[in-house]
Amino acid sequence: MQHTAIVTGANQGIGAATAKALAAQGVQVLITFLRFAPAPDPSVPEEYFTAREAGADAVVAAITEAGGKAHAIEVDLTETTAPALLFDTAERLFGPVDVLVNNASGWVQDTFLATDTDQFGRVLKAVTPQTFDAQFAVDARAGALLIAEFARRHLARGGNWGRIVSLTSGGPNGFPSEVSYGAAKAAIDNFTMSAAAELGPHGVTANVVNPGVTDTGWVNDAVRAQHKVGTPEDVADVIAFLCSPAAKRVTGNIIRLH
């Protein structure tokens, strides 16, 4: 049986690497992306901004040239109609979706402190309704609604095999200088653990991956001096395993990479 995946935020970074890794396993992949220009930050390499503003044509081309199947769709995940649109599109192109990777993020750094830069010189904002909404709308609400759409369709067709993987960061003790981001990720952690418990009897595993510091273009020299930095491919390998038949007994875990 050929599986079909939706991978969100897959025009660059971990999402792009994951889409390629899944396709290499024979999974048909619907890639979602949203082009936007992040706020200027002189401490962040220019390649980060270039990647965020790019489409997903290069990712689709790489998968196709390697013999895989992929399609990209630009969609704003904050729109409540997005989940149905994505699943309808994937079903029309490839068939029922049985793999969901919640990777997209509305990442913005914010803080409770009266400071405008973090320890690595990156621009910080104060916590505001705007910084809260930017992250909770994508990382928490969109992820939850995508899981809900996955579950509804899976149960309606009597599915007996499925994989859900969500990406997280920070942890239960907070995420200083990225406080709304950490809180939104804590929410998707909880949604995913609930999915593991509720959908397990229907053949679905659900896990969370915390990739640690990963160079998706944003890592500057100050970050590199203090952290072990991984690659998107490092993370994608783990996600691809979790989405494979070999991971049938791995569920309800938050897996932290180092």
Side-chain angles (χ1 to χ4, degrees):
M1 175 183 176
Q2 192 164 25
H3 299 295
T4 297
I6 293 175
V7 183
T8 65
N11 57 324
Q12 55 92 37
I14 293 170
T18 298
K20 294 173 186 176
L22 290 175
Q25 293 182 346
V27 179
Q28 304 167 117
V29 185
L30 181 69
I31 291 165
T32 89
F33 68 99
L34 183 65
R35 289 172 288 190
F36 70 97
D41 187 338
S43 71
V44 175
E46 186 61 33
E47 66 183 275
Y48 172 77
F49 300 94
T50 301
R52 283 298 183 120
E53 295 180 61
D57 289 349
V59 182
V60 172
I63 290 171
T64 303
E65 289 168 8
K69 294 181 180 179
H71 179 80
I73 180 170
E74 185 164 14
V75 62
D76 184 348
L77 294 178
T78 67
E79 298 290 340
T80 56
T81 56
L85 170 65
L86 294 177
F87 278 81
D88 286 345
T89 301
E91 289 177 2
R92 174 173 54 82
L93 293 171
F94 303 129
V97 175
D98 50 12
V99 176
L100 171 65
V101 179
N102 283 316
N103 170 72
S105 176
W107 179 77
V108 178
Q109 282 192 266
D110 62 0
T111 179
F112 295 127
L113 297 174
T115 181
D116 56 8
T117 58
D118 70 2
Q119 68 271 35
F120 304 114
R122 298 177 300 167
V123 173
L124 269 178
K125 298 181 179 180
V127 173
T128 65
Q130 290 73 32
T131 64
F132 177 96
D133 290 345
Q135 291 166 110
F136 272 80
V138 178
D139 296 70
R141 188 182 70 174
L145 293 178
L146 285 164
I147 292 172
E149 192 71 16
F150 179 102
R152 183 181 69 79
R153 298 189 187 216
H154 180 85
L155 297 174
R157 68 173 182 271
N160 59 11
W161 191 97
R163 300 287 188 265
I164 297 170
V165 178
S166 299
L167 277 292
T168 193
S169 197
N173 295 322
F175 199 167
S177 81
E178 301 184 38
V179 298
S180 293
Y181 179 60
K185 288 301 188 183
I188 195 61
D189 292 351
N190 204 275
F191 284 127
T192 307
M193 294 302 100
S194 293
E198 293 187 345
L199 300 178
H202 304 278
V204 178
T205 67
N207 294 281
V208 176
V209 174
N210 185 331
V213 179
T214 304
D215 191 356
T216 58
W218 64 272
V219 174
N220 61 24
D221 290 341
V223 175
R224 204 176 298 278
Q226 294 190 31
H227 292 278
K228 181 179 180 181
V229 179
T231 69
E233 290 73 24
D234 294 334
V235 185
D237 287 345
V238 176
I239 296 171
F241 166 73
L242 293 172
C243 294
S244 73
K248 62 184 178 181
R249 296 188 61 186
V250 182
T251 192
N253 297 283
I254 298 177
I255 299 167
R256 184 176 182 86
L257 308 186
H258 295 279

